[in-house]
Amino acid sequence: MSRTPAHPSRVVVIGAGIVGCSLADELTARGWTEVTVLEQGPLPAPGGSTSHAPGLVFRTGPSKTMTEFAAYTVEKFGALEVDGLSCFNQVGGLEIATTEARWADLHRKAGLAASWGVRGELLSPQQCKQLWPLLDETRLYGGFHTPDDGLARAVPACRAQIARAESRGARFLERHTVTGIEREGGRVTGVVTDRGTFPADHVVSAAGFWGPVIGAMAGVDVPLLPLAHQYATTEPLPELAGVNDPGEASKPILRFQDRDLYFREHHDRLGIGSYAHRPMPVDPFTVPAFDEAPVMPSSLPFTEDDFAPSWQDSVGLLPALADSRVAEGFNGVFSFTPDGMPVLGESRELRGFWLAEAVWVTHSAGVAKAVAEWMTDGRPGCDIHECDLYRFEDAQRSPAYIADRGAQSFIEVYDVIHPLQPMEQPRPLRTSPFYPRQQELGAYFLEAGGWERPHWYEANAPLAEGLTLPERDAWSARYWSPIAAAEARATREKVALYDMTPLRRLEVTGPGALAFLQRMTSNNLAKKPGAVTYTLLLDETGGIRSDLTVARLAPDRFQVGANSASDLDWLLRHASEGGPSRSSEAESGGVQIRDITSGTCCIGVWGPLARDLVQPLTRDDFSHQAFGYFRAKQTHLGHVPVTAMRLSYVGELGWELYTTADLGLRLWDTLWEAGQEHGVIAAGRSAFNSLRLEKGYRSWGHDMTTEHDPYEAGVGFAVRPAKGDFLGRDALEGRSEETAARKLTCLTLDDPEAVVLGKEPVHAPTLDSARAGGAPTGNPVGYVTSAAYGYTLGRGIAYAWLPAAAASPGTPVHIEYFGEKIPATVAQEPLFDPQMERIRT
């Protein structure tokens, strides 16, 4: 998104830790050779987190993006050598379970590894003992072994990449402390240090836990919290004497997550890392300089009392430690964000100023590659929406929020986290105007984006009595209730109110509004006022950045239903044509963009009796002939002015009803009172998700991302090349559903009692995922994106990315759920009401 200068881009990278060094290497490899890396400490070990990092690289986790980052780190560092030694020691990884819950979680993790292409195997306690003879195997349920993981040698990796980048023209300047960021006209122009000023077209903050300090100089918030993490080294152990000569380590990295511990060898000693202690936040503005620090800035004094319980847990797992003790230790500083993910991207407030922060060694090379691609090509080569700088809401950027949730991220590093599990504090933070009524109805709230979101209502429990539903395992039963089935049924049979307030709403106005939105989106919006259009935001390669509903409320006024704060950022950047925009509003070229989410609210009124409920409240005609599907109308319901849109994300007749926040409670009460004679209920997100999957409606960020084009994702109907030029149009030329090599595919589970949740690997028995035309390998061919039980259909539904050869209706597949292969079948979509008769009535 940066404007490319006329001359070759001058880049200044702040920080020569593993991220800064990797980025300089990636940039210079792509031809950007005017790269200067500034470091306040001495090279190659300047005293930040890289200098003390234990170097653990485990690739498997819930995030496909983070797994890809780690996989590239393994690949790159494995190919680097310093002094004849590889910068990556592929000793493997071993995670062990001492509880039933962890053993179940390792089965789930094995499924994630398979989904993301990581080689791994579940082991018995005896097999774990063979890999780690010091273990007391009698305590184990088993383990998960990933043989291709291992130890990154971070400082040597820095040395190797410094040498390569310098050979291409980059320069690395040690002992240069940054004191300011120069800017002009909303763009960065240089970096000021205690030893001179360095002109720049792009500045990248890769300063680690000093990121907030650099950000403050640039006027850019960096939402991370530095925290200390304990690491100790034992005395020499006789059991390790001579075992690792001449190497430093030969056994897999051992993770004892039930006690928040990990272990790695240092020749004849063991290193022990602990997350079991209290959070120890560090103020980055008070960290001493390298020469003023007792050891180095990132190494704080070891607090023995905090480590004492961890030592006892270590001895219990590894009895050989009973005759040893801690020889030395330190509290090392690392960066944590509110959601535990990195912070990447270019600032909108200061163009040319980039962040590559809150990145651990594990993901360092992968992050550097993505940022380098972003800077040189205009987009990263993989989906990074989970790491985007603008993913956080304004309410999530306060120092108090960052401190609370950063500390919680530290606590949860090794916890078993359910995909629906909300963080506990600070809650409630954002509530809709309907919140008091929802509480009265016994809403069970989960949280997303700071919003309290009802997932079901205890008031509906009587409706669930007598329903026959599959018995759920402990994992799928968490954050679920059979009440969701009753709410889905009531939506299909009568009418329900859904709180849609947390969905982002933007207002785009001005004489240039239509032309701007036509240029930015894939569908044709040149329709009469009152039209609503489903459309896509695409990037330059045709990848799906988001999906939108755009209502034309007047010739020069549009209401846009978006997905995230990143959508607003994307539109603001393009609307301002490269100029600065500091707020959630932009005005340029006759276009104004305003985020109206917080000042408005929305109720979805859906079900076959929706018209019976709404029509008596208004003088306007809500019949199908007068108010057709995908139409909008401004009207009044009782005393409340509303914008009504004939949309349905659950596959039933109904409307989305919008009003201002001050009138929200009155709107709810008006609808609730009028709906009593029709059996109206309030329904939550759990039922909503089931109903939308029965209709085959996609969820951006789960089912499709920038890595997918519209034809692969099954939303090619929202692309209208004939309307004229729009962003991504050229890239889609020649593509179609027929040419797609992979497809987002609907699956139904053969066993009506079976349930899956998402991100599980999918196997196609007749298809070889590794060699065309060969024998089946047993490797997964794809992975599940969204899943839910279809209460109307009476069986589980899953959407999955599969190769086109496996995506034909009727094809048998297996979904691997906690180690069990559950039979499923590719289905023709939509599963429910394919003729759209219930919506268009």
Side-chain angles (χ1 to χ4, degrees), residues 371-629:
V371 174
E373 291 168 338
W374 206 343
M375 295 175 69
T376 59
D377 300 334
R379 72 185 294 272
C382 64
D383 168 48
I384 55 86
H385 81 272
E386 295 172 310
C387 310
D388 189 87
L389 165 62
Y390 288 94
R391 70 186 182 273
F392 295 115
E393 305 284 345
D394 288 344
Q396 297 174 301
R397 289 181 168 273
S398 71
Y401 185 96
I402 294 167
D404 287 348
R405 297 230 166 168
Q408 189 67 21
S409 292
F410 175 91
I411 292 170
E412 294 178 349
V413 164
Y414 279 173
D415 285 1
V416 177
I417 303 295
H418 193 278
L420 293 176
Q421 183 173 331
M423 298 186 84
E424 296 178 359
Q425 295 295 332
R427 291 182 62 192
L429 182 63
R430 307 176 77 186
T431 60
S432 80
F434 323 130
Y435 187 66
R437 299 295 182 263
Q438 294 167 341
Q439 289 179 302
E440 292 168 5
L441 293 170
Y444 185 90
F445 292 99
L446 298 181
E447 177 270 344
W451 286 101
E452 295 296 319
R453 304 175 75 164
H455 273 244
W456 64 83
Y457 294 84
E458 289 296 331
N460 296 324
L463 300 178
E465 295 175 2
L467 293 181
T468 302
L469 298 171
E471 184 176 346
R472 293 208 169 203
D473 63 275
W475 186 250
S476 63
R478 291 184 68 185
Y479 307 108
W480 175 84
S481 169
I483 296 172
E487 293 177 358
R489 181 176 180 178
T491 307
R492 291 276 186 245
E493 295 180 355
K494 294 183 179 180
V495 61
L497 307 184
Y498 288 82
D499 181 2
M500 306 301 290
T501 301
L503 300 184
R504 183 166 297 277
R505 292 171 292 285
L506 311 177
E507 184 180 72
V508 182
T509 59
L514 175 60
F516 170 71
L517 289 172
Q518 284 283 74
R519 186 173 77 251
M520 293 302 301
T521 69
S522 63
N523 211 334
N524 187 13
L525 306 181
K527 302 172 182 176
K528 294 180 180 179
V532 182
T533 306
Y534 176 81
T535 187
L536 307 172
L537 288 180
L538 305 177
D539 65 16
E540 293 85 348
T541 68
I544 303 171
R545 280 196 57 96
S546 189
D547 60 344
L548 313 174
T549 53
V550 180
R552 191 174 193 182
L553 302 180
D556 58 356
R557 183 162 67 93
F558 296 80
Q559 182 171 309
V560 178
N563 283 298
S564 71
S566 296
D567 294 347
L568 173 62
D569 173 60
W570 181 256
L571 294 174
L572 288 174
R573 287 175 188 270
H574 285 84
S576 61
E577 300 177 343
S581 179
R582 291 189 170 275
S583 68
S584 61
E585 300 185 23
E587 180 172 357
S588 180
V591 180
Q592 298 88 45
I593 302 172
R594 189 166 63 98
D595 187 340
I596 61 172
T597 309
S598 297
T600 56
C601 58
C602 178
I603 299 176
V605 182
W606 291 311
L609 302 182
R611 184 176 287 114
D612 297 306
L613 189 161
V614 174
Q615 182 61 82
L617 298 173
T618 179
R619 295 180 180 181
D620 288 313
D621 187 352
F622 270 52
S623 69
H624 182 61
Q625 293 74 23
F627 197 159
Y629 191 53

Side-chain angles (χ1 to χ4, degrees), residues 195-247:
R195 300 176 65 177
T197 298
F198 297 84
D201 304 302
H202 298 274
V203 173
V204 185
S205 178
F209 62 80
W210 283 286
V213 179
I214 301 301
M217 296 178 191
V220 176
D221 291 332
V222 181
L224 68 81
L225 176 71
L227 287 136
H229 156 61
Q230 291 199 299
Y231 192 81
T233 308
T234 69
E235 292 180 325
L237 299 173
E239 293 82 358
L240 296 182
V243 171
N244 295 317
D245 294 337

Side-chain angles (χ1 to χ4, degrees), residues 96-411:
I96 52 98
T98 59
T99 63
E100 289 186 10
R102 183 68 62 178
W103 185 225
D105 187 59
L106 291 186
H107 282 77
R108 183 179 70 98
K109 189 163 285 185
L112 289 171
S115 290
W116 312 147
V118 176
R119 193 162 61 110
E121 181 183 9
L122 290 165
L123 303 181
S124 69
Q126 293 71 32
Q127 290 172 309
C128 294
K129 176 78 169 179
Q130 291 173 359
L131 287 175
W132 255 86
L134 275 63
L135 278 170
D136 177 3
E137 78 278 16
T138 65
R139 297 193 57 189
L140 306 184
Y141 284 81
F144 178 53
H145 181 221
T146 47
D148 302 323
D149 290 337
L151 296 166
R153 301 176 65 227
V155 173
C158 286
R159 288 176 56 195
Q161 293 179 104
I162 287 172
R164 293 206 310 194
E166 286 181 334
S167 72
R168 304 184 189 115
R171 57 177 177 168
F172 288 74
L173 303 177
E174 63 181 2
R175 296 193 176 278
H176 281 64
T177 299
V178 174
T179 59
I181 306 294
E182 292 190 332
R183 63 196 101 171
E184 183 179 345
R187 282 200 63 89
V188 69
T189 59
V191 177
V192 183
T193 75
D194 58 350
R195 300 176 65 177
T197 298
F198 297 84
D201 304 302
H202 298 274
V203 173
V204 185
S205 178
F209 62 80
W210 283 286
V213 179
I214 301 301
M217 296 178 191
V220 176
D221 291 332
V222 181
L224 68 81
L225 176 71
L227 287 136
H229 156 61
Q230 291 199 299
Y231 192 81
T233 308
T234 69
E235 292 180 325
L237 299 173
E239 293 82 358
L240 296 182
V243 171
N244 295 317
D245 294 337
E248 185 180 10
S250 59
K251 298 180 192 54
I253 308 161
L254 179 65
R255 291 210 283 190
F256 182 20
Q257 293 165 302
D258 289 324
R259 289 294 183 270
D260 296 312
L261 293 168
Y262 63 84
F263 306 86
R264 57 150 295 179
E265 297 167 298
H266 293 280
H267 298 290
D268 61 350
R269 303 168 184 257
L270 277 187
I272 307 172
S274 172
Y275 293 99
H277 54 82
R278 61 190 168 90
M280 304 178 190
V282 175
D283 183 352
F285 291 87
T286 63
V287 175
F290 186 91
D291 294 327
E292 298 170 359
V295 180
M296 57 177 141
S298 64
S299 181
L300 305 180
F302 189 61
T303 50
E304 294 183 7
D305 289 346
D306 288 307
F307 193 75
S310 292
W311 177 255
Q312 294 304 315
D313 288 333
S314 300
V315 172
L317 182 71
L318 308 170
L321 294 180
D323 296 326
S324 184
R325 65 180 182 87
V326 172
E328 56 185 0
F330 64 95
N331 292 356
V333 183
F334 290 88
S335 299
F336 291 80
T337 60
D339 60 4
M341 302 292 281
V343 178
L344 311 178
E346 184 189 16
S347 167
R348 187 178 70 250
E349 294 84 356
L350 182 61
R351 298 299 177 87
F353 183 81
W354 296 77
L355 296 179
E357 297 291 7
V359 182
W360 293 5
V361 171
T362 304
H363 311 103
S364 55
V367 164
K369 177 175 180 283
V371 174
E373 291 168 338
W374 206 343
M375 295 175 69
T376 59
D377 300 334
R379 72 185 294 272
C382 64
D383 168 48
I384 55 86
H385 81 272
E386 295 172 310
C387 310
D388 189 87
L389 165 62
Y390 288 94
R391 70 186 182 273
F392 295 115
E393 305 284 345
D394 288 344
Q396 297 174 301
R397 289 181 168 273
S398 71
Y401 185 96
I402 294 167
D404 287 348
R405 297 230 166 168
Q408 189 67 21
S409 292
F410 175 91
I411 292 170

